[in-house]
Amino acid sequence: MDSPVRSLLASGVTLTDASLERLLPSPDTLPHSIHRAMRHSVFAGGKRLRPILCMEAARMVAGGGDLPADVADLGAALEMLHTYSLIHDDLPALDNDDLRRGHPTCHVAFGEAIAILAGDALQTLAFQTIAQLPVPAVTVVHILREISIAVGTGIGRFGDINTEIPSGMIGGQVVDIESEGVPPTADLVEAIHRAKTGALITTSIVAGALYGSSQRPLSDGSLARIREFGEKAGLAFQIVDDILDMTQSSEELGKTAGKDTASIKATWPAVYGIERSRQDADALIADAFAAVEPFGSAADPLKSLAQYLTTRTH
């Protein structure tokens, strides 16, 4: 990993964790069990990629230089949403996993009931945090709308219901569950990946851009380019995740390896093979780079993060 990317990731983790520490109730806050369970999963590690992508998108739109004030709180809210989805994904009724980020999953450590409630509480706190962001109310509403669509069940960007493919994280999770054991097709895999994982990555980047636009107005065309960047990078991220599940050990991944194959899950390598999957991830990142080219050097940190998505080993 290049030193600038390592520095970018390290500083992003520091900023995100500081916000999370301030925003999450302490382990001594009643009721103890729920707050300890929330913190167990949030602070179990993780690269904080979604908050960092959010912050760098805000920096890019603001013209480079310093990060917009308090944008780390938006990043923290996105990490809460991501962690809530992981807690629920790991439950016995879903993926039934005992290991996450190298630690016991929330339901293993605290029981299923508290784990479910911890996920619910993180989701609620995330939206409370976004509602209190120190930007104009119109920007807060726009960010809330974008994020709520991205984590939902298929309500489209303009209020229409898409009956063909899922368009939100939960919608993608449902299709993923219902597709287990079904021979994967290219269309099915892409639909699940764009919704289940890609939607939250895309909305992290778009929400950060909207936050940055409170300092510098953003045209509809520029926002569309940023959304395209997020969609391409998000799909590349999940393709690489699929590859790692097949090629890395549980110790290297920090979670149980090989579960996708064992469950006959719809994955990119299952359809295209590992070599083609690597090529597709690289091509998606190249397209993502092209989408933000008009932002010039201000986009360099965001591009370096996207490149990292395809070269990581865990």
Side-chain angles (χ1 to χ4, degrees):
M1 187 193 308
D2 291 341
S3 180
V5 177
R6 186 181 293 110
S7 176
L8 196 64
L9 290 169
S11 63
V13 168
T14 298
L15 287 169
T16 304
D17 283 358
S19 285
L20 287 167
E21 184 62 53
R22 177 169 45 81
L23 292 165
L24 284 166
S26 77
D28 297 325
T29 303
L30 292 171
H32 298 152
S33 56
I34 186 73
H35 297 136
R36 289 170 183 172
M38 291 163 70
R39 295 177 70 89
H40 168 84
S41 292
V42 168
F43 291 115
K47 294 176 285 294
R48 311 303 195 206
L49 284 175
R50 290 152 191 82
I52 296 169
L53 288 166
C54 167
M55 289 187 278
E56 291 307 322
R59 191 202 304 267
M60 177 184 74
V61 168
D66 294 336
L67 285 171
D70 298 316
V71 68
D73 280 7
L74 174 56
L78 289 160
E79 187 67 18
M80 291 179 208
L81 288 169
H82 177 50
T83 305
Y84 125 73
S85 75
L86 299 181
I87 292 173
H88 283 191
D89 236 10
D90 290 334
L91 289 168
L94 279 79
D95 279 355
N96 192 24
D97 218 326
D98 295 337
L99 190 67
R100 173 67 68 176
R101 294 170 171 171
H103 296 272
T105 49
C106 194
H107 70 273
V108 170
F110 293 91
E112 286 184 53
I114 294 300
I116 292 168
L117 292 172
D120 294 343
L122 284 168
Q123 183 188 48
T124 304
L125 182 57
F127 285 113
Q128 177 185 334
T129 300
I130 296 166
Q132 297 170 337
L133 292 172
V135 290
V138 66
T139 304
V140 170
V141 171
H142 200 167
I143 291 171
L144 282 169
R145 186 164 181 259
E146 284 285 341
I147 292 176
S148 60
I149 289 169
V151 300
T153 60
I155 302 300
R157 201 164 290 127
F158 301 103
D160 55 313
I161 297 178
N162 189 328
T163 59
E164 308 240 344
I165 59 172
S167 59
M169 181 183 73
I170 295 173
Q173 288 172 322
V174 171
V175 176
D176 191 26
I177 291 167
E178 293 179 345
S179 300
E180 282 191 23
V182 176
T185 65
D187 288 345
L188 176 63
V189 171
E190 183 167 353
I192 292 172
H193 283 8
R194 287 190 181 279
K196 183 179 178 181
T197 301
L200 190 55
I201 289 177
T202 299
T203 204
S204 296
I205 294 166
V206 172
L210 291 171
Y211 194 98
S213 73
S214 64
Q215 297 184 9
R216 177 181 291 192
L218 191 63
S219 70
D220 290 343
S222 294
L223 187 61
R225 283 183 166 275
I226 292 166
R227 191 183 303 281
E228 180 183 358
F229 175 93
E231 290 171 349
K232 302 286 188 183
L235 183 53
F237 175 89
Q238 186 56 50
I239 291 172
V240 172
D241 224 38
D242 288 350
I243 295 169
L244 294 176
D245 183 76
M246 295 179 68
T247 60
Q248 303 285 66
S249 68
S250 297
E251 290 73 22
E252 289 168 316
L253 290 177
K255 59 183 179 180
T256 306
K259 283 185 70 71
D260 291 345
T261 302
S263 303
I264 320 180
K265 286 234 180 190
T267 70
W268 211 268
V271 175
Y272 297 108
I274 290 178
E275 188 56 36
R276 164 71 185 277
S277 296
R278 293 189 194 279
Q279 294 170 0
D280 287 347
D282 289 340
L284 284 163
I285 292 300
D287 289 345
F289 280 18
V292 294
E293 200 61 41
F295 290 92
S297 61
D300 286 348
L302 199 57
K303 289 161 73 174
S304 68
L305 287 169
Q307 188 67 64
Y308 165 72
L309 297 182
T310 61
T311 58
R312 64 197 171 91
T313 57
H314 61 281

